[in-house]
Amino acid sequence: MQKKNLLFLSAASLLLMTSCSKLGPLSADNFTVVPNPLETQAGQVPATINGTFPEKYMKKKAVVTVTPELRYADGQVAKGQSATFQGEKVMGNDQTISYKVGGRYTMKTSFDYVPEMQKSDMYLTFDARKGKKVYNVPAVKVADGIVATSELYRRTLASENGVIAPDAFQRINEKKQEANIKFLINQANIRKSELKNNSVKEFIEMLKKINADREGLNIQNVEIQAYASPEGGVKFNDKLAGQRKNQSEKYVKNTLKKTKVNADLDAHYTAQDWEGFQELVAASNLQDKDLILRVLSMYKDPQEREQQIRNMSAGFKELADGILPELRRSRLIINYETIGRSDEQIKEQYKNDATQLSVDELLYSATLNETPAKQEEIYKKTAEVHPNDYRAFNNLAALALAKGDKEAAQKYAAKAAQLGSETPEAQANLGLVSLINGNVQDAERAISKGANSENVKAAIGALNIAKGNYAQAERDFGNTLSNTAALAQLLNKNYDAAAKTLDKVENHNAMTDYLHAIVAARRGNKFAAASYLKEALQKDPSLKQYADNDLELKLLK
């Protein structure tokens, strides 16, 4: 009898356990998480959870709320977005789960990333109820750790130059000096009064300057363009324009001889200056200028067009007196080059008296293979001598970023931005400081102000890394050779390109080796990854604390 009672109690206990198991523990096998391990993107840790309630698990009047939790840093917890599920007899709007066959579900969640989360685990917790009854469903661990490679942009930027505002220095610049000689109608002789006009005087003065400064001025040639106005006959105008060309050429030869300048002559003429006529009419105040141009455009034959101009000039006094006389001319053009200081001359002048250098010469001098310390000295001198030019202050901000001095970078970039609305590089550097500080919204506001400038493409690339737009970030960087550019390629899974970029980074540092290690690890080359990681930690031991929790490298140490 006692034996029978014992069997009865065992059966009752089993029945009770089976009944309770309907909302009992769930297993990690009931869930898959994508991605696993988790991965940062745009400052978030997003995850998609695919779950299954087993058959005969969800009681018909039960309600279960599933909440993802990220547990990190010895007890800290971040909660994600919850999802609620209900049994078949619950009157509600949540997803219904069948008691008999169970059910599948998908939920998405996301956590705001903080660096302490690098070492973390994701759990699912359950609030299970049936009416007023609460069931104890243990939390289930569903994902291990976070791959935080995308957050490395804050470290790469902290060791790179900011955006440099370029100088406009050109040692050799092409210049022109032009004189205009007008002729009377149907004549080709050059009047003495025309040789006294200002443009001719300036023409002669420039030839004298070229003769006096052979080192700083270099003449290419003198071009002569002679014209006839288009109302005369084609044959007559061709002869007249040729004569004007010959007379102008003769005058220029004599002038070159007097000023002792040797130069080639390039002389030609245009018989009927239709293009000049169109330009002058279009720029005039003639009331009917649109009509005149429209009518003339209808005639392609030169003789017909000439007749129309002649007819119109008879009806429009302004054409006869104001337009046509301007077309009876020769243009005398000196094509020459100005030759600025050589690199050595600029350096010597800086040493003797930097105030005698132009702002662009000073900015250029900082690019002549100078050390960062010397560059900083030059930019400070430039800011002192030319305090209203934003570029010196901006470039000091860029150097401060490379030194990791965020406060100085912020100060100099803000000063540069105050000097005008067109300071794209300064706005970009303010944005980079914000990115390093983890403030993506402020960074976007600043960088977007200079987004139309080619000089800030790399800053836009860094911003797109922070926003999770990896493919666009890689395009933004283009051919830039930097750690941050390589990071964009790495995150875009372009590992070959990332490795090549890292090989060519000019200022190779610990972060270059660290990224090399991640690229090698993703390509499956553990030996190379371990070697690069060792190099990185030797150069910068402070990376060890980060590397110890880096899931990309955890197996290599």
Side-chain angles (χ1 to χ4, degrees):
M1 183 68 179
Q2 192 175 15
K3 195 171 183 180
K4 286 183 179 180
N5 288 338
L6 187 60
L7 288 170
F8 177 81
L9 287 172
S10 298
S13 298
L14 183 60
L15 182 62
L16 181 62
M17 290 175 65
T18 303
S19 176
C20 291
S21 69
K22 292 174 185 175
L23 285 174
L26 290 166
S27 164
D29 293 337
N30 295 115
F31 308 96
T32 58
V33 177
V34 180
N36 190 3
L38 302 172
E39 189 167 350
T40 56
Q41 183 176 7
Q44 300 286 307
V45 183
T48 299
I49 302 156
N50 297 302
T52 303
F53 285 113
E55 60 185 33
K56 296 183 179 179
Y57 181 87
M58 180 69 79
K59 292 187 176 183
K60 294 183 179 182
K61 294 185 178 180
V63 175
V64 179
T65 298
V66 183
T67 302
E69 289 185 356
L70 206 58
R71 301 178 182 181
Y72 65 98
D74 300 324
Q76 294 193 59
V77 175
K79 292 183 180 293
Q81 292 84 4
S82 300
T84 300
F85 307 91
Q86 62 189 32
E88 295 167 283
K89 293 187 177 181
V90 176
M91 301 297 291
N93 296 319
D94 298 308
Q95 181 179 338
T96 300
I97 303 296
S98 167
Y99 169 73
K100 185 176 181 180
V101 299
R104 298 177 182 274
Y105 61 91
T106 296
M107 56 187 292
K108 293 183 180 293
T109 191
S110 168
F111 306 91
D112 293 332
Y113 178 76
V114 295
E116 293 80 10
M117 287 179 178
Q118 192 180 11
K119 186 177 182 180
S120 60
D121 298 303
M122 191 170 89
Y123 283 79
L124 296 181
T125 62
F126 307 92
D127 180 7
R129 300 171 184 268
K130 179 187 172 189
K132 295 182 179 179
K133 185 174 181 180
V134 178
Y135 292 84
N136 180 23
V137 179
V140 178
K141 180 180 174 181
V142 292
D144 296 302
I146 295 174
V147 173
T149 303
S150 69
E151 292 296 310
L152 286 175
Y153 73 87
R154 294 174 64 179
R155 285 176 170 264
T156 60
L157 289 175
S159 61
E160 292 176 351
N161 264 343
V163 182
I164 293 288
D167 61 87
F169 175 74
Q170 284 185 292
R171 184 161 187 255
I172 298 176
N173 293 279
E174 293 185 353
K175 302 280 188 178
K176 291 179 181 289
Q177 182 72 42
E178 181 173 338
N180 277 285
I181 295 175
K182 293 179 185 176
F183 298 89
L184 294 177
I185 188 169
N186 298 336
Q187 293 186 19
N189 61 299
I190 298 177
R191 294 168 290 160
K192 289 184 179 180
S193 59
E194 282 299 298
L195 300 181
K196 295 178 182 179
N197 75 52
N198 288 335
S199 69
V200 174
K201 289 179 180 178
E202 290 167 359
F203 179 88
I204 296 171
E205 270 312 302
M206 179 52 66
L207 289 175
K208 290 179 180 178
K209 287 180 181 178
I210 291 171
N211 178 51
D213 186 6
R214 299 296 177 91
E215 185 176 336
L217 298 170
N218 178 43
I219 192 167
Q220 299 293 301
N221 69 352
V222 177
E223 188 177 353
I224 299 167
Q225 299 176 355
Y227 303 88
S229 56
E231 82 277 22
V234 175
K235 192 171 183 180
F236 176 81
N237 277 350
D238 187 76
K239 181 179 179 181
L240 179 61
Q243 290 173 340
R244 288 172 177 172
K245 186 263 295 184
N246 293 337
Q247 291 298 313
S248 300
E249 190 172 8
K250 181 179 178 182
Y251 168 74
V252 170
K253 285 181 178 178
N254 288 334
T255 305
L256 288 173
K257 186 175 181 181
K258 288 179 182 178
T259 55
K260 300 179 181 179
V261 173
N262 292 320
D264 293 331
L265 292 183
D266 178 13
H268 47 274
Y269 65 89
T270 300
Q272 291 189 311
D273 190 8
W274 167 240
E275 289 184 7
F277 179 83
Q278 283 182 307
E279 290 175 7
L280 288 177
V281 170
S284 73
N285 294 321
L286 288 170
Q287 283 187 343
D288 297 314
K289 64 181 180 182
D290 292 335
L291 174 63
I292 293 170
L293 293 174
R294 189 162 56 250
V295 169
L296 293 178
S297 68
M298 297 167 57
Y299 297 93
K300 303 303 179 185
D301 182 74
Q303 290 184 339
E304 289 182 344
R305 186 179 289 163
E306 170 206 331
Q307 184 60 49
Q308 290 300 322
I309 291 175
R310 193 181 298 122
N311 294 341
M312 287 184 176
S313 64
F316 292 96
K317 190 173 186 299
E318 295 93 335
L319 283 179
D321 295 343
I323 302 295
L324 295 175
E326 296 294 322
L327 303 175
R328 303 161 189 147
R329 73 204 192 281
S330 278
R331 297 171 61 207
L332 316 179
I333 304 168
I334 304 172
N335 295 306
Y336 68 101
E337 297 171 336
T338 59
I339 303 171
R341 292 182 175 95
S342 67
D343 293 356
E344 290 306 315
Q345 288 172 328
I346 288 175
K347 286 186 175 183
E348 188 64 26
Q349 183 62 59
Y350 179 85
K351 190 188 304 180
N352 295 333
D353 183 3
T355 64
Q356 298 303 306
L357 292 171
S358 70
V359 62
D360 285 300
E361 286 175 323
L362 280 166
L363 293 170
Y364 172 71
S365 70
T367 69
L368 299 176
N369 300 317
E370 300 291 4
T371 64
K374 185 65 176 177
Q375 288 177 330
E376 184 175 359
E377 175 200 312
I378 293 171
Y379 290 139
K380 284 182 176 179
K381 173 57 73 173
T382 308
E384 175 190 325
V385 178
H386 302 279
N388 294 322
D389 195 302
Y390 83 94
R391 292 174 295 176
F393 295 101
N394 174 80
N395 295 356
L396 285 167
L399 293 182
L401 279 170
K403 293 194 299 184
D405 190 344
K406 293 185 293 183
E407 290 184 5
Q410 175 79 27
K411 180 187 74 173
Y412 283 125
K415 173 65 177 175
Q418 289 173 2
L419 291 173
S421 58
E422 297 299 321
T423 56
E425 299 87 0
Q427 295 294 345
N429 285 325
L430 287 171
L432 291 176
V433 172
S434 294
L435 281 181
I436 294 169
N437 289 331
N439 193 331
V440 178
Q441 287 185 337
D442 282 355
E444 185 163 21
R445 275 192 290 270
I447 293 172
S448 64
K449 292 178 182 177
N452 293 328
S453 171
E454 284 295 317
N455 297 332
V456 305
K457 284 292 187 184
I460 295 172
L463 176 63
N464 272 316
I465 291 178
K467 293 171 67 178
N469 303 327
Y470 305 138
Q472 183 58 52
E474 181 176 353
R475 288 193 291 270
D476 291 331
F477 279 107
N479 296 323
T480 301
L481 301 174
S482 69
N483 289 337
T484 312
L487 177 62
Q489 294 165 329
L490 189 165
L491 293 169
N492 199 36
K493 297 181 172 55
N494 192 350
Y495 304 131
D496 288 344
K500 290 176 182 176
T501 296
L502 292 168
D503 285 337
K504 296 176 182 177
V505 169
E506 185 176 353
N507 297 317
H508 193 111
N509 57 21
M511 186 52 64
T512 313
D513 290 321
Y514 195 88
L515 292 174
H516 251 314
I518 294 176
V519 171
R522 288 199 178 187
R523 295 165 99 183
N525 191 337
K526 290 188 176 182
F527 178 80
S531 176
Y532 280 122
L533 179 60
K534 183 178 178 181
E535 287 288 327
L537 298 181
Q538 285 177 346
K539 290 176 182 176
D540 184 0
S542 70
L543 279 173
K544 186 177 187 306
Q545 185 177 2
Y546 188 89
D548 285 343
N549 296 320
D550 193 332
L551 292 185
E552 303 241 42
L553 304 174
K554 208 167 185 180
L555 299 177
L556 304 176
K557 298 184 286 296

Coordinates of all heavy atoms in Angstrom, one line a residue, residues 230 232 234 272 274 295-296 298-312:
P230 N 30.9 94.1 -89.9 CA 30.3 93.2 -90.9 C 29.3 93.8 -91.9 O 28.7 93.0 -92.6 CB 29.5 92.2 -90.0 CG 29.2 93.0 -88.8 CD 30.3 94.0 -88.6
G232 N 30.1 95.8 -94.5 CA 30.7 96.0 -95.8 C 30.7 94.7 -96.6 O 30.3 93.6 -96.1
V234 N 31.9 91.2 -98.4 CA 32.8 90.2 -97.9 C 34.2 90.4 -98.6 O 35.2 90.4 -97.9 CB 32.3 88.8 -98.3 CG1 33.3 87.7 -97.8 CG2 31.0 88.6 -97.6
Q272 N 34.7 89.7 -91.3 CA 33.4 90.2 -90.9 C 33.2 89.7 -89.4 O 33.0 88.5 -89.2 CB 32.3 89.7 -91.8 CG 32.4 90.4 -93.2 CD 31.1 90.1 -94.0 OE1 30.7 88.9 -94.1 NE2 30.5 91.1 -94.6
W274 N 31.2 89.0 -87.1 CA 29.8 88.7 -86.7 C 29.7 88.4 -85.2 O 28.7 88.9 -84.6 CB 29.3 87.6 -87.6 CG 28.0 87.0 -87.1 CD1 27.8 85.7 -86.8 CD2 26.7 87.6 -87.0 NE1 26.5 85.5 -86.4 CE2 25.8 86.7 -86.5 CE3 26.3 88.9 -87.2 CZ2 24.5 87.0 -86.3 CZ3 25.0 89.2 -86.9 CH2 24.1 88.3 -86.5
V295 N 16.4 88.2 -85.9 CA 16.3 88.4 -87.4 C 17.7 88.0 -88.1 O 17.7 87.2 -89.0 CB 16.0 89.8 -87.8 CG1 16.1 90.0 -89.3 CG2 14.6 90.1 -87.3
L296 N 18.8 88.4 -87.5 CA 20.1 88.1 -88.2 C 20.4 86.7 -88.1 O 21.1 86.1 -89.0 CB 21.2 89.0 -87.5 CG 21.1 90.5 -87.8 CD1 22.2 91.2 -87.0 CD2 21.1 90.8 -89.3
M298 N 18.6 84.3 -88.5 CA 17.8 83.6 -89.6 C 18.6 83.5 -90.9 O 18.3 82.7 -91.8 CB 16.5 84.3 -89.8 CG 15.5 84.2 -88.6 SD 14.1 85.4 -88.8 CE 13.4 84.7 -90.3
Y299 N 19.6 84.3 -91.0 CA 20.4 84.4 -92.3 C 21.8 83.8 -92.1 O 22.6 84.3 -91.3 CB 20.5 85.8 -92.8 CG 19.2 86.5 -93.1 CD1 18.5 87.2 -92.1 CD2 18.6 86.3 -94.3 CE1 17.3 87.8 -92.4 CE2 17.4 86.9 -94.6 CZ 16.7 87.6 -93.6 OH 15.5 88.2 -93.9
K300 N 22.1 82.7 -92.8 CA 23.4 82.0 -92.7 C 24.3 82.5 -93.7 O 25.5 82.5 -93.5 CB 23.2 80.5 -92.8 CG 22.2 79.9 -91.8 CD 22.6 80.2 -90.4 CE 21.6 79.6 -89.4 NZ 21.9 80.0 -88.0
D301 N 23.8 83.0 -94.9 CA 24.7 83.5 -95.9 C 25.3 84.8 -95.6 O 24.6 85.7 -95.2 CB 23.9 83.6 -97.2 CG 24.8 84.1 -98.4 OD1 25.5 83.3 -98.9 OD2 24.7 85.3 -98.7
P302 N 26.6 85.0 -95.6 CA 27.3 86.2 -95.2 C 26.8 87.4 -95.9 O 26.6 88.5 -95.3 CB 28.8 86.0 -95.5 CG 28.9 84.5 -95.5 CD 27.6 83.9 -96.0
Q303 N 26.5 87.3 -97.2 CA 26.0 88.5 -98.0 C 24.6 88.9 -97.5 O 24.3 90.1 -97.4 CB 26.0 88.2 -99.5 CG 27.4 88.1 -100.0 CD 27.5 87.9 -101.6 OE1 26.5 87.4 -102.1 NE2 28.6 88.2 -102.2
E304 N 23.7 87.9 -97.3 CA 22.4 88.2 -96.8 C 22.4 88.9 -95.4 O 21.7 89.8 -95.1 CB 21.5 87.0 -96.8 CG 21.2 86.4 -98.2 CD 20.3 85.2 -98.1 OE1 20.2 84.6 -97.0 OE2 19.6 84.9 -99.1
R305 N 23.3 88.3 -94.6 CA 23.4 88.8 -93.2 C 24.0 90.3 -93.3 O 23.5 91.2 -92.6 CB 24.4 87.9 -92.4 CG 24.5 88.3 -91.0 CD 25.4 87.3 -90.2 NE 24.8 86.0 -90.1 CZ 25.4 84.9 -89.8 NH1 26.8 85.0 -89.7 NH2 24.8 83.8 -89.7
E306 N 25.0 90.5 -94.2 CA 25.6 91.8 -94.3 C 24.5 92.8 -94.8 O 24.4 93.9 -94.2 CB 26.7 91.7 -95.4 CG 27.2 93.1 -95.8 CD 27.8 93.0 -97.2 OE1 28.3 91.9 -97.6 OE2 27.8 94.0 -97.9
Q307 N 23.6 92.4 -95.7 CA 22.6 93.3 -96.2 C 21.6 93.7 -95.1 O 21.2 94.8 -94.9 CB 21.8 92.6 -97.3 CG 20.8 93.5 -98.0 CD 21.4 94.8 -98.6 OE1 22.3 94.8 -99.3 NE2 20.8 96.0 -98.2
Q308 N 21.3 92.7 -94.2 CA 20.4 92.9 -93.1 C 21.0 93.9 -92.1 O 20.3 94.8 -91.6 CB 20.0 91.6 -92.4 CG 19.1 90.7 -93.3 CD 17.8 91.3 -93.6 OE1 17.2 92.0 -92.8 NE2 17.3 91.1 -94.9
I309 N 22.3 93.7 -91.8 CA 23.0 94.7 -90.9 C 22.9 96.1 -91.5 O 22.7 97.0 -90.8 CB 24.4 94.2 -90.6 CG1 24.4 92.9 -89.8 CG2 25.2 95.3 -89.9 CD1 25.7 92.3 -89.6
R310 N 23.2 96.2 -92.8 CA 23.2 97.5 -93.4 C 21.8 98.1 -93.4 O 21.7 99.3 -93.1 CB 23.7 97.3 -94.9 CG 24.0 98.7 -95.5 CD 24.5 98.5 -97.0 NE 25.7 97.7 -97.1 CZ 25.7 96.6 -97.8 NH1 24.7 96.2 -98.5 NH2 26.9 95.9 -97.9
N311 N 20.8 97.3 -93.6 CA 19.5 97.8 -93.5 C 19.1 98.3 -92.1 O 18.5 99.4 -92.0 CB 18.5 96.8 -94.0 CG 18.6 96.4 -95.5 OD1 19.2 97.2 -96.2 ND2 18.1 95.3 -95.9
M312 N 19.5 97.5 -91.2 CA 19.2 97.8 -89.8 C 20.0 99.1 -89.3 O 19.4 99.9 -88.5 CB 19.5 96.6 -88.8 CG 18.4 95.5 -89.0 SD 18.7 94.2 -87.8 CE 17.3 93.2 -88.2

